[in-house]
Amino acid sequence: MRRAYYDIAYFECKELGMLLGYKKVLAIGKDISFNEKGERIIISDTMWKNFPNKNEVVGVVASKVDKAFFQKLREEEKILIIDISPLNKDFVKESKRLRGILKNALHFKLKTALATFAREKAYLLSSAQMLEIAKFLGAGEEQAKDLLGAIGEIL
Amino acid sequence: MIMKRKSRYVLVMSSKPIEMSSYYHYFLHALSEQIGKIGLAKLDLSLAKSIGENLFIFKMSRGEEKSFILAISFVKRLREGEEEIGFYSLLTSGTISSIIRKYGARAGKA
């Protein structure tokens, strides 16, 4: 059976999302909240310390490798989300950083997801492209599929 | 004897309409910035077919399609000073007819 893949973007794109091979592209501000209160909250790791309602947080966007923090996320069963948008700025430097995050997230057996966090259509990617990026960052074939499906667990 | 290379076809959609035949040179240049001249030569890329203004079928060497799919993910501008554009790889297949058939099925669901 074909797996369901998901992405996160800053805008709604239901039909385009389906053409790109996703079951759903979650829109920030509608389907999920980012760094603010809402129904399904995801926050950046820098917000974690001071965020008031940690119980309501479903996922954390990691910006660096922090083993103690990764352990905590595992205990609290939060999804670790890797934002791939920095790859558009400095591919070599950022791919090294993201590879480190992914390697450690998989080592800690965290539920991990990849997302584009696209602010406009030009920065969306198809599920086929995301699978290749996941593999480029060090995931195996099945792990890459898991990375694209993980966001479905917060729905 | 030189072995005949097998080909793969990749269906690519652009985020905005573009006349690919006119922009193909710029597309190749942008692609070579991602995978280099050797990568581009190995790809042996050609534009097989344009469908409308934002769907394109590219022909390439079999086995190289993954590097093509990865490379086009980071092509965001074809010409200096022009608007940003994104390219999405939608489907991969061994024949043009099969790629069109698969796309029809997917577009029907969307």
Side-chain angles (χ1 to χ4, degrees):
Chain A
M1 201 177 110
R2 197 179 182 279
R3 300 240 202 134
Y5 299 138
Y6 301 86
D7 188 19
I8 299 172
Y10 279 87
F11 52 90
E12 283 185 73
C13 53
K14 193 181 171 193
E15 284 173 13
L16 177 60
M18 288 178 81
L19 264 184
L20 297 183
Y22 297 105
K23 184 168 185 189
K24 190 173 177 63
V25 177
L26 280 74
I28 292 171
K30 183 179 178 277
D31 302 309
I32 50 165
S33 305
F34 186 34
N35 287 338
E36 57 186 19
K37 285 183 180 177
E39 202 178 324
R40 296 183 196 99
I41 306 170
I42 57 169
I43 60 169
S44 55
D45 53 2
T46 51
M47 295 278 286
W48 176 262
K49 224 173 188 177
N50 300 318
F51 201 80
N53 303 77
K54 288 191 182 66
N55 290 340
E56 293 172 24
V57 172
V58 291
V60 177
V61 181
S63 62
K64 62 179 190 300
V65 174
D66 181 340
K67 293 182 180 179
F69 182 58
F70 283 11
Q71 183 66 42
K72 194 169 182 59
L73 290 181
R74 188 185 164 189
E75 286 162 12
E76 302 207 6
E77 296 179 341
K78 310 291 187 197
I79 292 178
L80 183 131
I81 303 166
I82 299 175
D83 173 7
I84 62 129
S85 66
L87 289 173
N88 290 300
K89 291 171 191 155
D90 187 337
F91 186 81
V92 177
K93 184 181 157 197
E94 294 299 336
S95 61
K96 191 175 179 183
R97 182 176 66 87
L98 298 185
R99 203 172 272 159
I101 294 171
L102 180 61
K103 183 183 164 189
N104 281 279
L106 295 175
H107 174 76
F108 279 94
K109 295 187 169 59
L110 274 167
K111 282 263 178 241
T112 311
L114 282 194
T116 59
F117 285 83
R119 288 184 181 272
E120 49 191 295
K121 277 186 184 177
Y123 286 85
L124 274 176
L125 294 173
S126 70
S127 58
Q129 286 168 298
M130 289 294 272
L131 286 172
E132 288 309 318
I133 290 171
K135 285 185 254 178
F136 179 78
L137 293 177
E141 194 80 39
E142 284 305 307
Q143 284 171 330
K145 291 175 183 171
D146 291 343
L147 289 169
L148 264 67
I151 290 169
E153 295 192 16
I154 65 177
L155 295 175
Chain B
M1 196 175 99
I2 296 173
M3 294 280 283
K4 191 186 171 200
R5 280 190 169 181
K6 287 193 173 179
S7 302
R8 289 292 275 177
Y9 294 89
V10 177
L11 178 67
V12 173
M13 185 165 85
S14 59
S15 63
K16 61 173 193 165
I18 177 180
E19 200 183 317
M20 185 54 88
S21 52
S22 314
Y23 276 82
Y24 188 60
H25 168 77
Y26 298 104
F27 181 77
L28 286 184
H29 181 73
L31 210 54
S32 78
E33 283 183 357
Q34 305 298 326
I35 56 173
K37 287 177 187 171
I38 293 172
L40 197 59
K42 278 165 85 179
L43 208 56
D44 195 16
L45 191 73
S46 61
L47 177 63
K49 192 177 176 69
S50 291
I51 307 165
E53 291 177 308
N54 70 338
L55 280 174
F56 315 102
I57 298 175
F58 289 98
K59 184 184 178 187
M60 65 203 69
S61 300
R62 189 172 164 183
E64 299 296 326
E65 65 271 19
K66 289 183 176 182
S67 62
F68 173 77
I69 290 169
L70 189 62
I72 62 164
S73 305
F74 303 103
V75 172
K76 299 296 172 199
R77 205 183 295 275
L78 295 183
R79 284 176 73 177
E80 212 43 54
E82 285 201 356
E83 257 185 80
E84 286 185 322
I85 186 167
F87 293 96
Y88 320 125
S89 71
L90 300 185
L91 293 160
T92 305
S93 190
T95 62
I96 293 179
S97 57
S98 129
I99 225 167
I100 291 172
R101 195 174 57 244
K102 284 181 187 174
Y103 176 73
R106 188 186 282 192
K109 284 180 192 168

